[in-house]
Amino acid sequence: MAVPADEAGNVLHLITSKLPYLPGALRQIGEYLLAHPQQAQSMTISQLASACGVAESTVSRFVRELRLDSYHSLRLSLAEATFATRSAGAGRDEEFVYEGILRGDEPPAIVGKIERSSRQTLAQTAKQVSGDAISRAVDLLHDADAVVFCCMGSSSIAAEEGVMRFTRAGKKCLLYRDQSVQVMLATILTPRDVLIGISDSGKSTAIVDAMRLARQTGATSIGITSAQDSPLAELSNVPLFTSNVTGEGLYGESVTSKWGQLLLIDILYATYAARHFDDTLQHLKETYEAGIRHSRSPGSPPGES
């Protein structure tokens, strides 16, 4: 028997109520749908199965568990539930407070959703990382006189991590927060420089402009984005892709989407360090000692170590 229409319209609440009682594989699907209802609406059954790490037959079993008559009905129910959630809070600030968070969610539910979303982002990004692309990106970094980071918003978290990592590995790194300065800097890059552009959507105007200008100077570029058909990916000599599990949302600033960016930065650094082990180790020692000397100097702010 198919689930009643009013219950299908709140399929996210239905999944939440059933989640604690579902076996492992079915629970994985439920957790994914609760964390990413908007993206799941446009997924085929094979895409959803792949995202959840289960077989298509398991997705079909999940659909039956919800008493829906087909996978198409599940997609429609997700769309209806998402629309209903938005409409219920139309015009209010809390309407889209965070991806996957529903009005009235209590702290335990929120903790679970954020944890699952973060874990899935990391797992799916790692699963789709291209070893060949990482290797080519590391080649560019090794040959670079300077590594310039271009980013905006919360993508700056990954950029700052990259500056710290590669500076300690002995590479000259530059990062300016001001997007106008980023674009201006791109015009004076040389063929010996590498620009790393980071944008989840791959459409951020300032980053795309900087990537285009860098190409005109002959500089090479590495792009980090979740959008494979984006301008950023097209302009990159080596595009690296994070998992597109959170969707753009209303504000596009979900921190869970940034875990993939951080993961790729760490993979780039670790691969570079492993390939140039002795040199990196020496630079690590030198930068560490410089930091210690600075922290002990009379002019350093109190409390730093």
Side-chain angles (χ1 to χ4, degrees), residues 262-275:
L262 286 165
L263 178 63
L264 286 178
I265 289 293
D266 267 2
I267 290 172
L268 282 174
Y269 165 75
T271 306
Y272 179 92
R275 187 181 295 182

mmCIF file with all atom_site columns, all heavy atoms in Angstrom, residues 262-275:
data_model
loop_
_atom_site.group_PDB
_atom_site.id
_atom_site.type_symbol
_atom_site.label_atom_id
_atom_site.label_alt_id
_atom_site.label_comp_id
_atom_site.label_asym_id
_atom_site.label_entity_id
_atom_site.label_seq_id
_atom_site.pdbx_PDB_ins_code
_atom_site.Cartn_x
_atom_site.Cartn_y
_atom_site.Cartn_z
_atom_site.occupancy
_atom_site.B_iso_or_equiv
_atom_site.pdbx_formal_charge
_atom_site.auth_seq_id
_atom_site.auth_comp_id
_atom_site.auth_asym_id
_atom_site.auth_atom_id
_atom_site.pdbx_PDB_model_num
ATOM 1   N N   . LEU A 1 262 ? 39.356 21.228 2.172  1.00 0.00 ? 262 LEU A N   1
ATOM 2   C CA  . LEU A 1 262 ? 40.458 20.993 3.106  1.00 0.00 ? 262 LEU A CA  1
ATOM 3   C C   . LEU A 1 262 ? 41.133 19.645 2.833  1.00 0.00 ? 262 LEU A C   1
ATOM 4   O O   . LEU A 1 262 ? 42.363 19.519 2.914  1.00 0.00 ? 262 LEU A O   1
ATOM 5   C CB  . LEU A 1 262 ? 39.949 21.040 4.541  1.00 0.00 ? 262 LEU A CB  1
ATOM 6   C CG  . LEU A 1 262 ? 39.614 22.429 5.081  1.00 0.00 ? 262 LEU A CG  1
ATOM 7   C CD1 . LEU A 1 262 ? 38.787 22.324 6.358  1.00 0.00 ? 262 LEU A CD1 1
ATOM 8   C CD2 . LEU A 1 262 ? 40.887 23.226 5.355  1.00 0.00 ? 262 LEU A CD2 1
ATOM 9   N N   . LEU A 1 263 ? 40.324 18.649 2.518  1.00 0.00 ? 263 LEU A N   1
ATOM 10  C CA  . LEU A 1 263 ? 40.876 17.331 2.226  1.00 0.00 ? 263 LEU A CA  1
ATOM 11  C C   . LEU A 1 263 ? 41.801 17.388 1.014  1.00 0.00 ? 263 LEU A C   1
ATOM 12  O O   . LEU A 1 263 ? 42.901 16.827 1.029  1.00 0.00 ? 263 LEU A O   1
ATOM 13  C CB  . LEU A 1 263 ? 39.743 16.330 1.983  1.00 0.00 ? 263 LEU A CB  1
ATOM 14  C CG  . LEU A 1 263 ? 40.183 14.908 1.614  1.00 0.00 ? 263 LEU A CG  1
ATOM 15  C CD1 . LEU A 1 263 ? 40.972 14.272 2.752  1.00 0.00 ? 263 LEU A CD1 1
ATOM 16  C CD2 . LEU A 1 263 ? 38.977 14.046 1.258  1.00 0.00 ? 263 LEU A CD2 1
ATOM 17  N N   . LEU A 1 264 ? 41.379 18.078 -0.056 1.00 0.00 ? 264 LEU A N   1
ATOM 18  C CA  . LEU A 1 264 ? 42.204 18.162 -1.251 1.00 0.00 ? 264 LEU A CA  1
ATOM 19  C C   . LEU A 1 264 ? 43.496 18.929 -0.987 1.00 0.00 ? 264 LEU A C   1
ATOM 20  O O   . LEU A 1 264 ? 44.558 18.560 -1.504 1.00 0.00 ? 264 LEU A O   1
ATOM 21  C CB  . LEU A 1 264 ? 41.419 18.825 -2.386 1.00 0.00 ? 264 LEU A CB  1
ATOM 22  C CG  . LEU A 1 264 ? 40.338 17.955 -3.038 1.00 0.00 ? 264 LEU A CG  1
ATOM 23  C CD1 . LEU A 1 264 ? 39.595 18.730 -4.106 1.00 0.00 ? 264 LEU A CD1 1
ATOM 24  C CD2 . LEU A 1 264 ? 40.959 16.701 -3.640 1.00 0.00 ? 264 LEU A CD2 1
ATOM 25  N N   . ILE A 1 265 ? 43.423 19.995 -0.187 1.00 0.00 ? 265 ILE A N   1
ATOM 26  C CA  . ILE A 1 265 ? 44.640 20.741 0.168  1.00 0.00 ? 265 ILE A CA  1
ATOM 27  C C   . ILE A 1 265 ? 45.609 19.825 0.918  1.00 0.00 ? 265 ILE A C   1
ATOM 28  O O   . ILE A 1 265 ? 46.818 19.807 0.650  1.00 0.00 ? 265 ILE A O   1
ATOM 29  C CB  . ILE A 1 265 ? 44.300 21.971 1.021  1.00 0.00 ? 265 ILE A CB  1
ATOM 30  C CG1 . ILE A 1 265 ? 43.590 23.037 0.171  1.00 0.00 ? 265 ILE A CG1 1
ATOM 31  C CG2 . ILE A 1 265 ? 45.557 22.548 1.660  1.00 0.00 ? 265 ILE A CG2 1
ATOM 32  C CD1 . ILE A 1 265 ? 44.455 23.664 -0.898 1.00 0.00 ? 265 ILE A CD1 1
ATOM 33  N N   . ASP A 1 266 ? 45.087 19.052 1.862  1.00 0.00 ? 266 ASP A N   1
ATOM 34  C CA  . ASP A 1 266 ? 45.945 18.144 2.621  1.00 0.00 ? 266 ASP A CA  1
ATOM 35  C C   . ASP A 1 266 ? 46.535 17.056 1.724  1.00 0.00 ? 266 ASP A C   1
ATOM 36  O O   . ASP A 1 266 ? 47.693 16.650 1.894  1.00 0.00 ? 266 ASP A O   1
ATOM 37  C CB  . ASP A 1 266 ? 45.159 17.508 3.766  1.00 0.00 ? 266 ASP A CB  1
ATOM 38  C CG  . ASP A 1 266 ? 45.298 18.279 5.069  1.00 0.00 ? 266 ASP A CG  1
ATOM 39  O OD1 . ASP A 1 266 ? 45.968 19.328 5.063  1.00 0.00 ? 266 ASP A OD1 1
ATOM 40  O OD2 . ASP A 1 266 ? 44.746 17.843 6.086  1.00 0.00 ? 266 ASP A OD2 1
ATOM 41  N N   . ILE A 1 267 ? 45.741 16.557 0.772  1.00 0.00 ? 267 ILE A N   1
ATOM 42  C CA  . ILE A 1 267 ? 46.239 15.538 -0.149 1.00 0.00 ? 267 ILE A CA  1
ATOM 43  C C   . ILE A 1 267 ? 47.348 16.120 -1.026 1.00 0.00 ? 267 ILE A C   1
ATOM 44  O O   . ILE A 1 267 ? 48.385 15.478 -1.259 1.00 0.00 ? 267 ILE A O   1
ATOM 45  C CB  . ILE A 1 267 ? 45.096 14.973 -1.011 1.00 0.00 ? 267 ILE A CB  1
ATOM 46  C CG1 . ILE A 1 267 ? 44.154 14.124 -0.142 1.00 0.00 ? 267 ILE A CG1 1
ATOM 47  C CG2 . ILE A 1 267 ? 45.643 14.148 -2.171 1.00 0.00 ? 267 ILE A CG2 1
ATOM 48  C CD1 . ILE A 1 267 ? 42.898 13.682 -0.862 1.00 0.00 ? 267 ILE A CD1 1
ATOM 49  N N   . LEU A 1 268 ? 47.147 17.336 -1.519 1.00 0.00 ? 268 LEU A N   1
ATOM 50  C CA  . LEU A 1 268 ? 48.177 17.993 -2.330 1.00 0.00 ? 268 LEU A CA  1
ATOM 51  C C   . LEU A 1 268 ? 49.470 18.151 -1.526 1.00 0.00 ? 268 LEU A C   1
ATOM 52  O O   . LEU A 1 268 ? 50.564 17.847 -2.010 1.00 0.00 ? 268 LEU A O   1
ATOM 53  C CB  . LEU A 1 268 ? 47.691 19.365 -2.801 1.00 0.00 ? 268 LEU A CB  1
ATOM 54  C CG  . LEU A 1 268 ? 46.727 19.403 -3.975 1.00 0.00 ? 268 LEU A CG  1
ATOM 55  C CD1 . LEU A 1 268 ? 46.242 20.833 -4.214 1.00 0.00 ? 268 LEU A CD1 1
ATOM 56  C CD2 . LEU A 1 268 ? 47.403 18.868 -5.239 1.00 0.00 ? 268 LEU A CD2 1
ATOM 57  N N   . TYR A 1 269 ? 49.328 18.663 -0.304 1.00 0.00 ? 269 TYR A N   1
ATOM 58  C CA  . TYR A 1 269 ? 50.508 18.876 0.530  1.00 0.00 ? 269 TYR A CA  1
ATOM 59  C C   . TYR A 1 269 ? 51.206 17.552 0.846  1.00 0.00 ? 269 TYR A C   1
ATOM 60  O O   . TYR A 1 269 ? 52.436 17.436 0.720  1.00 0.00 ? 269 TYR A O   1
ATOM 61  C CB  . TYR A 1 269 ? 50.145 19.574 1.842  1.00 0.00 ? 269 TYR A CB  1
ATOM 62  C CG  . TYR A 1 269 ? 51.248 19.487 2.859  1.00 0.00 ? 269 TYR A CG  1
ATOM 63  C CD1 . TYR A 1 269 ? 52.387 20.280 2.739  1.00 0.00 ? 269 TYR A CD1 1
ATOM 64  C CD2 . TYR A 1 269 ? 51.184 18.561 3.903  1.00 0.00 ? 269 TYR A CD2 1
ATOM 65  C CE1 . TYR A 1 269 ? 53.428 20.162 3.653  1.00 0.00 ? 269 TYR A CE1 1
ATOM 66  C CE2 . TYR A 1 269 ? 52.221 18.439 4.811  1.00 0.00 ? 269 TYR A CE2 1
ATOM 67  C CZ  . TYR A 1 269 ? 53.338 19.242 4.683  1.00 0.00 ? 269 TYR A CZ  1
ATOM 68  O OH  . TYR A 1 269 ? 54.371 19.120 5.578  1.00 0.00 ? 269 TYR A OH  1
ATOM 69  N N   . ALA A 1 270 ? 50.446 16.555 1.264  1.00 0.00 ? 270 ALA A N   1
ATOM 70  C CA  . ALA A 1 270 ? 51.043 15.273 1.655  1.00 0.00 ? 270 ALA A CA  1
ATOM 71  C C   . ALA A 1 270 ? 51.743 14.613 0.471  1.00 0.00 ? 270 ALA A C   1
ATOM 72  O O   . ALA A 1 270 ? 52.829 14.017 0.624  1.00 0.00 ? 270 ALA A O   1
ATOM 73  C CB  . ALA A 1 270 ? 49.969 14.347 2.224  1.00 0.00 ? 270 ALA A CB  1
ATOM 74  N N   . THR A 1 271 ? 51.161 14.713 -0.722 1.00 0.00 ? 271 THR A N   1
ATOM 75  C CA  . THR A 1 271 ? 51.779 14.143 -1.908 1.00 0.00 ? 271 THR A CA  1
ATOM 76  C C   . THR A 1 271 ? 53.064 14.885 -2.254 1.00 0.00 ? 271 THR A C   1
ATOM 77  O O   . THR A 1 271 ? 54.091 14.274 -2.586 1.00 0.00 ? 271 THR A O   1
ATOM 78  C CB  . THR A 1 271 ? 50.806 14.186 -3.104 1.00 0.00 ? 271 THR A CB  1
ATOM 79  O OG1 . THR A 1 271 ? 49.583 13.549 -2.747 1.00 0.00 ? 271 THR A OG1 1
ATOM 80  C CG2 . THR A 1 271 ? 51.405 13.486 -4.315 1.00 0.00 ? 271 THR A CG2 1
ATOM 81  N N   . TYR A 1 272 ? 53.001 16.210 -2.168 1.00 0.00 ? 272 TYR A N   1
ATOM 82  C CA  . TYR A 1 272 ? 54.189 17.027 -2.423 1.00 0.00 ? 272 TYR A CA  1
ATOM 83  C C   . TYR A 1 272 ? 55.290 16.680 -1.415 1.00 0.00 ? 272 TYR A C   1
ATOM 84  O O   . TYR A 1 272 ? 56.455 16.490 -1.779 1.00 0.00 ? 272 TYR A O   1
ATOM 85  C CB  . TYR A 1 272 ? 53.828 18.509 -2.321 1.00 0.00 ? 272 TYR A CB  1
ATOM 86  C CG  . TYR A 1 272 ? 54.991 19.446 -2.544 1.00 0.00 ? 272 TYR A CG  1
ATOM 87  C CD1 . TYR A 1 272 ? 55.276 19.935 -3.816 1.00 0.00 ? 272 TYR A CD1 1
ATOM 88  C CD2 . TYR A 1 272 ? 55.820 19.825 -1.490 1.00 0.00 ? 272 TYR A CD2 1
ATOM 89  C CE1 . TYR A 1 272 ? 56.347 20.786 -4.029 1.00 0.00 ? 272 TYR A CE1 1
ATOM 90  C CE2 . TYR A 1 272 ? 56.900 20.672 -1.695 1.00 0.00 ? 272 TYR A CE2 1
ATOM 91  C CZ  . TYR A 1 272 ? 57.160 21.159 -2.964 1.00 0.00 ? 272 TYR A CZ  1
ATOM 92  O OH  . TYR A 1 272 ? 58.233 21.988 -3.174 1.00 0.00 ? 272 TYR A OH  1
ATOM 93  N N   . ALA A 1 273 ? 54.926 16.607 -0.134 1.00 0.00 ? 273 ALA A N   1
ATOM 94  C CA  . ALA A 1 273 ? 55.903 16.334 0.915  1.00 0.00 ? 273 ALA A CA  1
ATOM 95  C C   . ALA A 1 273 ? 56.517 14.938 0.768  1.00 0.00 ? 273 ALA A C   1
ATOM 96  O O   . ALA A 1 273 ? 57.716 14.754 0.982  1.00 0.00 ? 273 ALA A O   1
ATOM 97  C CB  . ALA A 1 273 ? 55.249 16.479 2.285  1.00 0.00 ? 273 ALA A CB  1
ATOM 98  N N   . ALA A 1 274 ? 55.701 13.971 0.395  1.00 0.00 ? 274 ALA A N   1
ATOM 99  C CA  . ALA A 1 274 ? 56.213 12.608 0.228  1.00 0.00 ? 274 ALA A CA  1
ATOM 100 C C   . ALA A 1 274 ? 57.178 12.519 -0.942 1.00 0.00 ? 274 ALA A C   1
ATOM 101 O O   . ALA A 1 274 ? 58.183 11.801 -0.889 1.00 0.00 ? 274 ALA A O   1
ATOM 102 C CB  . ALA A 1 274 ? 55.045 11.639 0.026  1.00 0.00 ? 274 ALA A CB  1
ATOM 103 N N   . ARG A 1 275 ? 56.868 13.270 -1.993 1.00 0.00 ? 275 ARG A N   1
ATOM 104 C CA  . ARG A 1 275 ? 57.724 13.245 -3.182 1.00 0.00 ? 275 ARG A CA  1
ATOM 105 C C   . ARG A 1 275 ? 59.053 13.959 -2.934 1.00 0.00 ? 275 ARG A C   1
ATOM 106 O O   . ARG A 1 275 ? 60.082 13.594 -3.495 1.00 0.00 ? 275 ARG A O   1
ATOM 107 C CB  . ARG A 1 275 ? 56.989 13.884 -4.363 1.00 0.00 ? 275 ARG A CB  1
ATOM 108 C CG  . ARG A 1 275 ? 57.738 13.739 -5.677 1.00 0.00 ? 275 ARG A CG  1
ATOM 109 C CD  . ARG A 1 275 ? 57.004 14.412 -6.815 1.00 0.00 ? 275 ARG A CD  1
ATOM 110 N NE  . ARG A 1 275 ? 55.721 13.807 -7.115 1.00 0.00 ? 275 ARG A NE  1
ATOM 111 C CZ  . ARG A 1 275 ? 54.929 14.220 -8.109 1.00 0.00 ? 275 ARG A CZ  1
ATOM 112 N NH1 . ARG A 1 275 ? 55.305 15.244 -8.865 1.00 0.00 ? 275 ARG A NH1 1
ATOM 113 N NH2 . ARG A 1 275 ? 53.770 13.627 -8.323 1.00 0.00 ? 275 ARG A NH2 1
#
